[in-house]
Amino acid sequence: SRLVLAHYRIAKIHPTEPSDEVRDIMSQNTRLYPNADDSSSSPTGTKSGNSYDEEVMAGSDNPTDFDLSYAVKASSEKLPVAEATLLYADTSPSDLKTPSGADPDEIPQAFTMNEKFNSGSRRSSMTAEGEDWDNVHGITGRLVRFAHDHYYLTFLIFLVFVIVTSAVIFIAPTDPRCAQSGPQFTVCKQSNHDWEVSYSMVSRYKDAVNQLMNRGAVNYNFLLGASAISKTKALSQPSEDAALTLLYYWKDAVVKQNVNIFTPTTVKDMCEIQRLFVSHPFYPKLCQRSNGNCVQPYSVVQQFYKAGGDCTLLTDSEVQQKAKDLLNPANPLLGFFVSSEAGSKGFTNTTRALLSLGAPLPGFKDAAEDKDVQQNIYQSVFFEDFTCPVPKWLKDTKFLNPDFCNGRKDGEVIKGLESQLFEKFNMEGFPKSGQYKGAFRSPYLGASPHEEISSSEVMEVRWYSNIIQTMEFARVVNGDLNFAILSISVVYLYIAYHTKSFFLASMFMFQIIISLPVGYFVYYNIGQIHFYSQVNILAIYLALGIGADSVFVLYDCWQQSETDPSIKTTLGRLNYSHNRTMIACFNTTSSTVMSFVATAITPVMPIECFAIFASLVLIMNYIFMVTVAPAIIMIYYVHFEDLGGFCCYCSRSCTGRCGPKEPGVTTHLSKLREKDALYRCSCYAKVESDTVENGNPSEAFNERELRAAERFFSDHFSKLIIGFDLQPGKYKPLAYFFLAAITGYSIYMATQAFQLTPPKAQEEWFPPNHMFNKELMSRLAHNWKAGANSDYMEIVVVFGVETVDRSNFSAFYPAYNRGGVVFDKEFDFSSKDSQKFFLRVCKEIETLKCGKGGCGSNMLRQGQSPYCVFQDMLKFYNNETKSNVEYFPSKKEMIDTYTKMAQANSDKNNPDKYLEYSMGIEQGTNGLEIKWAMIPFMSSILSPLPNAEAHDIYSVLEKWIEGLRKDAPAGMKTVFQTDTQVAALGWTWMKVEDALVYNLLQGFAMCFPVVFVILIFATGNVIISFYSIVTIAFIVVGVLGSAKGYAGWSLGVAESIAGVIVIGFSVDYTVHLGHMYKEARSCHTKEEKIRYALTYMGTTVVGGGMTTLLAGLMLYLCTLTFFTKMASLLVWTILYSTFYSLFFFTSLCAVAGPVGSFGSIEVCTDFVKRKLRGRGS
């Protein structure tokens, strides 16, 4: 076998100072070079002329037979070493001649170093050079000693700690701002503001308009002589959230494209479906009311049947006559029910209905007050199954007379609207019923509700509601949580397979999982962050991946410590394993945590909370790994290690693979067991004859055989990288191939990654086979002759408001204390110039063009003119005074005119709602004052709006607004525009998507430098760190490029989150190999170092990759596209990380890896120190 021998060449004598490299080599052999640090030392009594290496080699033609006496003599004469050369010989160390009288310990280690990776060897003889692991000292040493001596106590302390902290979060009540009831560890109730970038001006402007509308309604009533706290009449308006849209169309749209949807049978079926809504037992208490009666639903059914009539089968002539009225172009209001081509074709093959409950609920002043509470009441009482008696939380709300159970028994269930729809169309989930109905499979998955009209005609039925979608979202997320349990099971089995111990798998899995509630305890009670959303569920997959990786590092180090003959005690083994694990896992954990820190800087609150929570979970897992894991290893060592395999613990009943490990129990282990009362009481306790008598503790740990995976990496895989000829400098064809291929592929994937942009279409949260899919959203929004107002964005232009004060606002409670409006003190609406300017803006809106894809027409407004309150006031004033003025002569006359208009408006059967808030007249210090004015108009902007189109239209509006600000007279400069949609739509959602993209770029800018610094400290070498950061960059572009090139995704929510997380995951395996490359101190060539790193860390890399991969694969079983996308991103990350670290990073090191002190950070710091000392002298 080939043997590597180190032959010290003795240089010619030069009266010069030794080089830094020479000094490094001399300092490693201080016994032979006691004055190595003395730069003034010079060799004496030396020969001149020829170099000593000539004399050393003289006397023998065979370099393996040379006498080492000259080398020892040269060492004793303190000759400076010029270089270390590797010679290769086919011999064994026993063939070397030792100088007579020489102490073997005085021979430099390089002379006696045998090849650690003898080709085909099955044994490992790894040594920890320069480390006395049995000499335990320092803080970490005391920690290791305590775990060694008191492993039960250590684990008991850990157990008590996690039980107490977990009990707090599972027993203590939650923050009412998060949920109405439940423990601290509760998923918070969603609000419309959760994802909003609340500190942006877009958000402030939208909040300002919402507040102005509420204040306007109060001031409006005050001007009418009512109380300033007057409320909007209960149930007088249609609720936007508590509404149901029903959609009907022919199943075979191509064949039936020329067939009218209105037939006697289809109309009857539509009527019966609508009756599920209006016949709900609680509908009379919640319906929209006018003059004390329920308002008829806005439905096509009302065109065929009388109010309250039965759904009888009409004649064909009756249906056709009514259908003809619907298609009459002279009645534009009926256009809501027919397709866009109905006018030209004379028929429609699709129709819809809009059924709404009333708002606000009794007890609430308007629909905006405690909107989330009102929505929850609608959901719990009407849309979900309701069980009597009335729950306490409902009684504790502002809702008046919430007694829905009069005359009903406790336990009686009133079926909700959704359950009735499921029952009518035979839609079943799994489980079919009970508290967890649909938890594993939603009834909407694969659903195709329809009515069979005849053997050849089928009418498809679809429905949509904001509340039902919220219910479905929560149901699906809770169902997807079940697959986290499956992920835990899969990872548990792999850990058991890797460690060959169910005990270790159970203990370490408990340690990983318990880091979640403990991390949450810190998050909630110390960090005082009480928001917890479904996104945080992803932390379990991160904990499984990083935690399992740490387990493999510790276990592999523990196994490898057996092979080091310098470690003579179990304490030394534990110290060695703990130290290596602490350093290696700190590198990976810190880099991953830093990626989350970068993510946490995002202004999008749910992602910020997820990043903080995930960071705390990983930190707690690391703390447990360095404090508790050593005790777990000791318990395993004392109780189970010698049983071997997946064994039942009573070894006498075990056979075959479960038999005890050879050669049995050492004396050292026997002594530990003698002191362990718990072990002696166990059924698997060893008897005296089982013990291998070893009087010398140093013989307790024998060389172990390399495991099959380690032999694979040592004997086979490594040769793919470093070549089959292990001589340094030799050609490595596969390494060059891997470098070229991966570099070229990464350049291509970078071009794909750079094409990622925010979504050009609205994000999809449900898969294609879900009823609430992209097709349904498209059918609801497009191809109708006339749209509902909800299909378009309402825009308002506001004067007199500067901003919203957020000084008392907390982003973690976005639905509370959103701040108050800050008015412009210079605002003056009474001047002639201000009034003329306001009229100018009204006229410009009439002619303002859009010309962008997101608009339904070329004009920005949607047909109808904007509501210009000042224009109406002038008309009213001129009619009252019989004049023809173009502006008001005084502020008093403006206020008086507005008050008279309000009185006249209140007397109408259908009052104009815009008048209430289009002008803000409030009581000031000097009487009534005009605080603000606004111009609302219904735009042609379709909603929801893709990001790219939103930016185009937003730019058009902002450019127009900037022009208005420049031209505005004094007192009218504070003008802005915004939409009135919920925060999850419109300009606020556009800002959320922008923030996600910015956060990704910011994360890269932060993560890469920080990770590079961590890598420098981890590897101690700038060159290795540079290779690592290049590998990580290739992994990142590979993952993001795959998202664009293979999946065709945009830079949405999931991609933005994963983009930064991928950096943390991609670091793990590369830094493991880089760290082990550094630790291979006894290897003097880059080939040896790579082989060393692969042998002792390859299995850890593969094991860590496999666990995260398996956990990620379970996400494919989820329903939400967010989780299935994360599954792909996690799988891609692991595949790229594992492949690139094993093939690209190792190839870089094999071709141009640093050897010796080249690139060492220590050399750099020593150089700086010497320069500073020289400068100081």
Side-chain angles (χ1 to χ4, degrees):
S1 61
R2 187 173 299 278
L3 182 67
V4 181
L5 302 176
H7 167 48
Y8 282 83
R9 298 183 61 198
I10 309 304
K12 293 183 178 180
I13 307 307
H14 294 288
T16 57
E17 180 179 344
S19 66
D20 292 338
E21 184 176 0
V22 169
R23 187 176 298 279
D24 289 340
I25 298 174
M26 295 170 66
S27 63
Q28 293 177 11
N29 298 275
T30 54
R31 288 181 295 178
L32 297 177
Y33 300 97
N35 297 321
D37 293 331
D38 186 0
S39 60
S40 63
S41 63
S42 60
T44 59
T46 59
K47 297 184 180 182
S48 60
N50 297 327
S51 62
Y52 267 97
D53 63 329
E54 296 174 357
E55 289 196 33
V56 170
M57 300 304 297
S60 176
D61 294 332
N62 188 344
T64 62
D65 294 333
F66 69 83
D67 196 317
L68 298 182
S69 58
Y70 289 102
V72 176
K73 177 182 178 183
S75 299
S76 64
E77 293 175 357
K78 307 179 185 62
L79 299 181
V81 179
E83 60 183 336
T85 307
L86 294 177
L87 301 179
Y88 295 86
D90 293 323
T91 184
S92 94
S94 61
D95 296 329
L96 291 176
K97 297 180 181 179
T98 303
S100 59
D103 185 353
D105 291 337
E106 293 297 316
I107 299 176
Q109 184 180 10
F111 280 111
T112 59
M113 183 189 70
N114 66 314
E115 181 189 18
K116 291 179 176 54
F117 306 106
N118 191 19
S119 180
S121 173
R122 289 177 170 268
R123 290 190 177 271
S124 165
S125 58
M126 181 182 69
T127 60
E129 294 183 38
E131 299 284 356
D132 184 4
W133 297 108
D134 295 312
N135 182 15
V136 177
H137 57 275
I139 297 177
T140 58
R142 287 195 289 270
L143 181 65
V144 171
R145 184 178 292 279
F146 187 85
H148 175 273
D149 296 341
H150 310 286
Y151 40 86
Y152 292 135
L153 179 59
T154 302
F155 189 77
L156 181 61
I157 294 172
F158 160 72
L159 204 58
V160 170
F161 172 74
V162 298
I163 289 175
V164 170
T165 53
S166 299
V168 170
I169 66 170
F170 285 112
I171 296 177
T174 188
D175 190 325
R177 293 172 294 184
C178 167
Q180 296 167 345
S181 61
Q184 290 182 0
F185 196 66
T186 299
V187 175
C188 292
K189 180 72 176 178
Q190 291 181 336
S191 78
N192 291 322
H193 300 289
D194 288 352
W195 288 79
E196 188 174 353
V197 184
S198 295
Y199 287 102
S200 68
M201 290 307 300
V202 167
S203 172
R204 293 172 191 260
Y205 286 156
K206 184 173 286 190
D207 278 0
V209 169
N210 289 331
Q211 291 185 35
L212 294 181
M213 289 179 175
N214 293 332
R215 292 177 68 148
V218 173
N219 295 327
Y220 181 84
N221 288 314
F222 178 77
L223 291 175
L224 295 177
S227 169
I229 58 171
S230 296
K231 304 174 181 179
T232 304
K233 192 173 181 180
L235 303 175
S236 62
Q237 302 171 353
S239 171
E240 294 183 2
D241 293 320
L244 180 75
T245 300
L246 291 166
L247 180 66
Y248 309 96
Y249 58 93
W250 293 118
K251 182 176 182 180
D252 195 337
V254 176
V255 175
K256 298 291 185 180
Q257 60 179 338
N258 297 322
V259 178
N260 203 336
I261 192 68
F262 300 121
T263 69
T265 305
T266 59
V267 170
K268 179 177 182 295
D269 289 336
M270 294 176 195
C271 178
E272 291 175 347
I273 294 170
Q274 179 175 311
R275 286 186 67 83
L276 297 178
F277 189 91
V278 298
S279 64
H280 189 287
F282 300 150
Y283 179 76
K285 296 189 177 189
L286 300 173
C287 66
Q288 181 186 354
R289 292 182 169 274
S290 177
N291 299 323
N293 299 317
C294 289
V295 175
Q296 291 300 309
Y298 192 48
S299 166
V300 69
V301 172
Q302 308 310 123
Q303 308 302 316
F304 294 92
Y305 293 96
K306 294 181 180 180
D310 294 331
C311 299
T312 57
L313 187 66
L314 302 176
T315 65
D316 186 67
S317 60
E318 289 177 312
V319 171
Q320 296 308 316
Q321 181 59 46
K322 296 290 186 181
K324 185 177 180 180
D325 295 338
L326 281 171
L327 298 172
N328 186 359
N331 191 353
L333 293 178
L334 299 181
F336 173 83
F337 303 117
V338 298
S339 66
S340 58
E341 299 177 345
S344 59
K345 291 186 175 181
F347 62 87
T348 180
N349 59 3
T350 183
T351 189
R352 58 181 173 173
L354 180 62
L355 315 178
S356 300
L357 296 179
L361 289 172
F364 297 87
K365 68 178 183 181
D366 52 47
E369 184 186 18
D370 295 337
K371 186 173 183 179
D372 295 333
V373 175
Q374 293 191 63
Q375 181 173 322
N376 195 33
I377 294 173
Y378 289 125
Q379 176 178 322
S380 303
V381 172
F382 191 84
F383 289 89
E384 292 180 336
D385 294 348
F386 184 83
T387 304
C388 289
V390 176
K392 182 179 183 300
W393 70 264
L394 181 56
K395 293 180 179 179
D396 292 340
T397 65
K398 298 178 181 178
F399 187 43
L400 298 179
N401 302 320
D403 194 357
F404 293 94
C405 295
N406 280 339
R408 302 180 188 273
K409 298 178 180 179
D410 289 355
E412 183 177 347
V413 177
I414 296 89
K415 285 188 177 181
L417 176 64
E418 188 185 48
S419 293
Q420 294 183 56
L421 289 169
F422 288 161
E423 187 175 298
K424 178 172 180 59
F425 294 103
N426 297 317
M427 296 168 59
E428 294 182 344
F430 181 77
K432 295 181 180 180
S433 60
Q435 182 180 358
Y436 302 101
K437 179 173 62 177
F440 288 95
R441 180 177 174 83
S442 167
Y444 291 105
L445 276 176
S448 180
H450 61 272
E451 292 284 356
E452 292 188 3
I453 308 305
S454 66
S455 59
S456 60
E457 294 180 322
V458 175
M459 181 179 70
E460 295 285 349
V461 182
R462 299 291 184 271
W463 59 85
Y464 178 80
S465 165
N466 287 337
I467 287 182
I468 289 181
Q469 178 170 280
T470 301
M471 293 163 54
E472 172 64 0
F473 192 85
R475 175 167 46 230
V476 166
V477 169
N478 292 331
D480 289 347
L481 270 174
N482 296 308
F483 298 112
I485 300 174
L486 185 58
S487 296
I488 293 171
S489 303
V490 171
V491 173
Y492 169 81
L493 292 175
Y494 190 86
I495 293 176
Y497 166 77
H498 187 93
T499 60
K500 302 297 185 294
S501 170
F502 283 119
F503 171 80
L504 285 180
S506 302
M507 291 297 100
F508 284 132
M509 183 54 69
F510 174 75
Q511 176 185 296
I512 293 170
I513 298 303
I514 205 65
S515 63
L516 290 162
V518 175
Y520 188 83
F521 174 85
V522 178
Y523 170 85
Y524 189 100
N525 295 285
I526 298 177
Q528 289 296 302
I529 302 175
H530 298 172
F531 181 85
Y532 186 80
S533 70
Q534 289 89 347
V535 177
N536 292 29
I537 297 168
L538 288 174
I540 182 62
Y541 299 96
L542 301 171
L544 287 173
I546 302 297
D549 177 69
S550 302
V551 168
F552 296 145
V553 173
L554 176 63
Y555 178 77
D556 290 344
C557 286
W558 173 255
Q559 293 297 312
Q560 291 160 9
S561 66
E562 279 187 300
T563 69
D564 192 340
S566 67
I567 301 177
K568 304 183 183 304
T569 64
T570 304
L571 180 61
R573 286 187 68 189
L574 194 64
N575 188 30
Y576 167 84
S577 305
H578 177 268
N579 183 272
R580 292 295 173 89
T581 303
M582 182 176 65
I583 295 173
C585 294
F586 175 80
N587 298 331
T588 56
T589 302
S590 59
S591 58
T592 307
V593 167
M594 281 309 304
S595 71
F596 287 119
V597 171
T599 307
I601 300 176
T602 178
V604 183
M605 186 271 295
I607 297 180
E608 177 187 5
C609 291
F610 160 68
I612 295 173
F613 176 65
S615 299
L616 291 172
V617 169
L618 296 182
I619 291 172
M620 295 311 303
N621 182 71
Y622 176 76
I623 292 174
F624 292 156
M625 182 57 62
V626 298
T627 57
V628 183
I632 294 175
I633 286 291
M634 282 303 301
I635 297 173
Y636 163 74
Y637 174 66
V638 172
H639 285 261
F640 311 121
E641 187 175 46
D642 62 310
L643 295 181
F646 296 101
C647 191
C648 52
Y649 294 131
C650 297
S651 59
R652 292 181 182 81
S653 63
C654 294
T655 59
R657 189 176 179 183
C658 286
K661 290 171 60 176
E662 297 296 339
V665 182
T666 64
T667 303
H668 194 212
L669 177 56
S670 179
K671 290 180 179 179
L672 286 172
R673 288 177 168 177
E674 287 177 4
K675 296 185 292 185
D676 192 321
L678 183 60
Y679 173 81
R680 294 198 305 273
C681 295
S682 64
C683 63
Y684 47 81
K686 296 290 183 180
V687 295
E688 190 72 18
S689 59
D690 293 325
T691 302
V692 173
E693 294 296 336
N694 280 323
N696 185 357
S698 66
E699 299 174 5
F701 309 114
N702 303 288
E703 287 190 349
R704 68 175 176 89
E705 288 192 358
L706 289 174
R707 291 172 292 176
E710 292 173 334
R711 292 199 304 272
F712 168 76
F713 278 104
S714 175
D715 300 343
H716 304 289
F717 183 84
S718 62
K719 294 181 180 179
L720 294 175
I721 306 298
I722 62 180
F724 292 89
D725 187 348
L726 302 184
Q727 297 187 42
K730 289 292 184 179
Y731 187 56
K732 307 175 183 68
L734 289 179
Y736 286 104
F737 169 77
F738 292 141
L739 290 176
I742 293 175
T743 300
Y745 177 78
S746 297
I747 292 173
Y748 168 74
M749 296 309 289
T751 63
Q752 295 294 312
F754 289 142
Q755 296 179 35
L756 281 171
T757 58
K760 295 182 179 179
Q762 192 70 15
E763 287 228 34
E764 298 177 51
W765 298 101
F766 296 103
N769 65 335
H770 193 281
M771 199 174 89
F772 298 154
N773 56 15
K774 182 179 180 180
E775 179 187 359
L776 176 62
M777 299 300 122
S778 177
R779 285 182 179 273
L780 288 172
H782 302 295
N783 300 321
W784 297 99
K785 186 175 182 180
N789 285 344
S790 59
D791 294 338
Y792 301 95
M793 287 174 60
E794 183 185 44
I795 302 295
V796 290
V797 180
V798 182
F799 297 87
V801 174
E802 290 184 350
T803 185
V804 169
D805 180 17
R806 296 270 202 241
S807 56
N808 295 321
F809 171 75
S810 172
F812 298 119
Y813 316 108
Y816 297 87
N817 300 324
R818 294 193 61 81
V821 175
V822 178
F823 293 104
D824 180 9
K825 296 179 180 179
E826 305 297 324
F827 176 68
D828 181 14
F829 196 47
S830 60
S831 70
K832 176 181 177 181
D833 290 339
S834 295
Q835 295 176 44
K836 286 185 175 180
F837 184 74
F838 193 86
L839 285 175
R840 169 194 159 181
V841 175
C842 291
K843 293 178 181 178
E844 287 189 9
I845 294 174
E846 292 273 2
T847 59
L848 193 61
K849 293 184 178 181
C850 177
K852 302 296 179 182
C855 291
S857 66
N858 189 45
M859 303 301 294
L860 193 62
R861 63 179 176 83
Q862 186 218 12
Q864 59 206 51
S865 299
Y867 183 82
C868 189
V869 62
F870 182 72
Q871 203 169 39
D872 291 348
M873 287 170 61
L874 275 177
K875 291 179 181 179
F876 189 91
Y877 178 79
N878 286 330
N879 289 333
E880 284 280 314
T881 60
K882 308 299 182 182
S883 59
N884 190 26
V885 301
E886 295 183 353
Y887 60 93
F888 286 96
S890 68
K891 180 175 69 174
K892 181 178 183 304
E893 288 179 285
M894 290 181 65
I895 295 175
D896 289 344
T897 300
Y898 180 83
T899 305
K900 292 177 181 179
M901 281 183 63
Q903 185 63 55
N905 185 59
S906 65
D907 294 337
K908 295 180 180 179
N909 290 329
N910 187 21
D912 192 340
K913 65 175 183 178
Y914 285 126
L915 185 62
E916 294 184 3
Y917 56 80
S918 292
M919 183 171 288
I921 299 177
E922 298 187 359
Q923 186 69 41
T925 55
N926 299 319
L928 292 176
E929 297 178 356
I930 301 175
K931 289 284 191 177
W932 80 86
M934 68 171 70
I935 308 171
F937 67 96
M938 187 59 63
S939 74
S940 63
I941 306 171
L942 295 170
S943 178
L945 201 62
N947 184 271
E949 295 178 357
H951 270 287
D952 290 341
I953 301 172
Y954 183 78
S955 298
V956 170
L957 283 168
E958 282 299 295
K959 185 177 180 180
W960 174 61
I961 291 293
E962 284 299 320
L964 292 179
R965 287 173 182 154
K966 291 179 181 178
D967 298 340
M972 298 288 283
K973 295 287 186 180
T974 51
V975 54
F976 67 84
Q977 64 82 22
T978 187
D979 66 275
T980 60
Q981 293 189 302
V982 295
L985 295 170
W987 308 143
T988 44
W989 185 252
M990 177 190 73
K991 285 297 181 184
V992 170
E993 294 179 316
D994 292 346
L996 293 173
V997 176
Y998 176 77
N999 181 63
L1000 179 65
L1001 300 177
Q1002 177 181 257
F1004 287 161
M1006 287 185 58
C1007 281
F1008 276 103
V1010 172
V1011 168
F1012 184 69
V1013 172
I1014 293 173
L1015 287 167
I1016 288 177
F1017 283 99
T1019 63
N1021 192 287
V1022 177
I1023 305 299
I1024 294 296
S1025 301
F1026 175 73
Y1027 291 167
S1028 299
I1029 210 71
V1030 170
T1031 306
I1032 294 166
F1034 280 5
I1035 295 169
V1036 171
V1037 298
V1039 173
L1040 296 181
S1042 297
K1044 177 64 178 178
Y1046 298 147
W1049 296 338
S1050 300
L1051 199 57
V1053 176
E1055 295 87 349
S1056 301
I1057 297 174
V1060 179
I1061 294 175
V1062 69
I1063 300 178
F1065 267 126
S1066 60
V1067 169
D1068 291 357
Y1069 312 131
T1070 303
V1071 75
H1072 280 327
L1073 292 172
H1075 177 69
M1076 194 55 67
Y1077 186 96
K1078 167 197 173 185
E1079 291 297 319
R1081 299 187 184 95
S1082 61
C1083 301
H1084 295 278
T1085 67
K1086 52 182 176 290
E1087 290 82 7
E1088 284 185 311
K1089 287 176 175 288
I1090 284 297
R1091 196 174 184 188
Y1092 181 98
L1094 286 170
T1095 301
Y1096 292 108
M1097 196 53 72
T1099 56
T1100 303
V1101 169
V1102 173
M1106 281 297 297
T1107 51
T1108 312
L1109 181 66
L1110 292 172
L1113 288 173
M1114 297 302 105
L1115 281 170
Y1116 279 117
L1117 301 175
C1118 296
T1119 300
L1120 280 185
T1121 55
F1122 174 81
F1123 289 126
T1124 55
K1125 276 188 175 182
M1126 287 302 300
S1128 294
L1129 292 165
L1130 278 175
V1131 168
W1132 289 337
T1133 300
I1134 298 308
L1135 292 178
Y1136 278 116
S1137 299
T1138 306
F1139 186 83
Y1140 281 21
S1141 61
L1142 291 176
F1143 288 91
F1144 181 77
F1145 175 74
T1146 54
S1147 295
L1148 270 177
C1149 294
V1151 171
V1155 179
S1157 59
F1158 183 71
S1160 173
I1161 189 67
E1162 296 177 1
V1163 174
C1164 297
T1165 54
D1166 289 344
F1167 174 80
V1168 172
K1169 289 179 181 178
R1170 285 198 301 273
K1171 289 296 183 182
L1172 292 175
R1173 284 200 301 265
R1175 184 176 298 177
S1177 61

